[in-house]
Amino acid sequence: MKTGLVLEGGAMRGMFTAGVLDVFMDHGIKADCVAGVSAGALFGVNYLSGQKGRVIRYNKRFNKDKNYMGLRPLFKEGNIVSTKYAYEDVPRRLDPFDDAAYQSSGIPFYAVATDVETGRPEYLQIRSVFGQMDALRASGSMPFLSRPVYIDGKKYLDGGISDSIPFVWLSGQDCTKLIVVLTRDRDYRKKPMPAKLVKLYAGKYPKVAEQLSHRHTLYNQSVDLLRQWEAEGKAFVIRPSRPIEIRHIEKAPDKLQAVYDLGIHDGMACLPALEAYLQQRI
């Protein structure tokens, strides 16, 4: 009986997920397989490396640097988050990621990315973070704010475009129990994306434009199905207890800390019920 862990994206709303995962590390909550989308993938790898506190630490330290995230790297590189600074300098030197511990965990981890030619999701297994940093970067390459990432001749963008909450896919990987960490509160419903934005992709990447135009419908349907699974005991869902008000590229350390603290609070609050769920036999 395998337990799967699903981590929704949401840019800096991912500080909530970081808090929840740090609670998991403190209390020995283990998963047999993990699927992360965008920030869920980028932050989630620290759960397998066992680096409690690293996500909130490096974001509070580096987000406010104009060379790390913001208009400067966007105009210089075409990416809102600097590729070299964020994906090379920080994890390798400035706040080292423990790739050896990640690999030795033995837990399959998948980053969801969107193939820009087909508009379909791909579930890329990350066997080594340093060896497959481009796959993680692809999963977190936000539309309109990032260039597509090339991997093996294909171009990819943010996995949230095509599969924001990949619980159905992970269930198909022989996971009989699911833990799903969302970054939206229970009352959230996604609204249509402005047509003017969608048209920016219509010429070059029509399949991406098509996905973006229907994304709100697909997302809301996915949430409705997840609620059904939750009611049936097929999934245990952890969601923010209140709406998270934070910018996608938030730089203020106190605001990042507040969202992280909410993740700690909500993770602790659900811990008894989660432990009971994991002990149930199906």
Side-chain angles (χ1 to χ4, degrees):
M1 188 166 60
K2 291 170 59 177
T3 298
L5 174 61
V6 179
L7 307 174
E8 184 183 14
M12 289 304 116
R13 292 197 313 276
M15 290 300 108
F16 177 83
T17 302
V20 171
L21 293 181
D22 282 358
V23 170
F24 284 10
M25 283 187 262
D26 269 346
H27 293 272
I29 303 298
K30 303 290 186 181
D32 300 299
C33 191
V34 185
V37 182
S38 194
L42 292 168
F43 299 159
V45 292
N46 295 273
Y47 168 65
L48 268 63
S49 67
Q51 290 177 276
K52 178 190 171 186
R54 180 175 179 270
V55 174
I56 184 63
R57 182 177 65 241
Y58 79 73
N59 278 276
K60 288 175 66 176
R61 178 182 174 188
F62 297 111
N63 281 15
K64 57 183 179 291
D65 188 330
K66 294 180 180 179
N67 293 305
Y68 179 85
M69 184 174 70
L71 293 178
R72 188 170 295 178
L74 182 61
F75 290 140
K76 186 176 180 180
E77 305 177 20
N79 297 309
I80 196 74
V81 178
S82 171
T83 298
K84 182 178 184 300
Y85 198 158
Y87 294 97
E88 295 181 25
D89 295 346
V90 169
R92 291 183 182 274
R93 297 189 300 104
L94 302 176
D95 195 326
F97 177 77
D98 192 343
D99 196 34
Y102 172 89
Q103 294 181 56
S104 67
S105 73
I107 300 172
F109 188 102
Y110 298 87
V112 185
T114 301
D115 183 325
V116 301
E117 299 297 339
T118 66
R120 303 298 302 160
E122 291 196 15
Y123 307 88
L124 309 174
Q125 185 171 358
I126 310 299
R127 292 179 170 82
S128 162
V129 167
F130 289 156
Q132 295 170 274
M133 191 65 79
D134 281 348
L136 287 167
R137 190 163 64 86
S139 183
S141 291
M142 294 182 285
F144 313 111
L145 298 174
S146 308
R147 292 178 175 175
V149 177
Y150 285 78
I151 303 173
D152 297 331
K154 293 184 178 182
K155 291 183 282 188
Y156 295 94
L157 279 172
D158 197 306
I161 297 171
S162 54
D163 194 356
S164 295
I165 315 171
F167 65 97
V168 174
W169 179 84
L170 192 59
S171 176
Q173 308 308 302
D174 297 324
C175 291
T176 54
K177 289 190 176 183
L178 294 175
I179 307 169
V180 182
V181 182
L182 303 180
T183 60
R184 293 291 193 182
D185 63 282
R186 179 176 286 276
D187 295 331
Y188 176 79
R189 302 295 285 181
K190 189 174 288 295
K191 297 178 181 179
M193 182 172 289
K196 291 182 179 180
L197 284 179
V198 174
K199 287 181 180 179
L200 294 177
Y201 279 114
K204 194 169 186 180
Y205 303 123
K207 293 297 184 179
V208 171
E210 182 180 342
Q211 284 283 8
L212 291 173
S213 66
H214 297 108
R215 188 183 176 201
H216 63 291
T217 300
L218 297 175
Y219 181 88
N220 294 335
Q221 289 175 344
S222 183
V223 169
D224 290 341
L225 179 61
L226 180 58
R227 287 186 180 184
Q228 181 179 328
W229 284 30
E230 184 181 15
E232 295 171 352
K234 295 170 63 176
F236 188 96
V237 182
I238 302 173
R239 51 174 67 82
S241 55
R242 59 173 174 78
I244 294 177
E245 304 293 342
I246 194 171
R247 295 181 300 174
H248 275 64
I249 55 169
E250 184 59 65
K251 298 186 176 188
D254 59 332
K255 294 182 179 180
L256 296 168
Q257 185 70 49
V259 176
Y260 172 79
D261 289 345
L262 181 64
I264 293 286
H265 175 273
D266 291 351
M268 288 296 298
C270 77
L271 197 59
L274 173 59
E275 291 175 333
Y277 169 77
L278 293 175
Q279 289 172 5
Q280 293 173 0
R281 298 185 66 86
I282 297 179

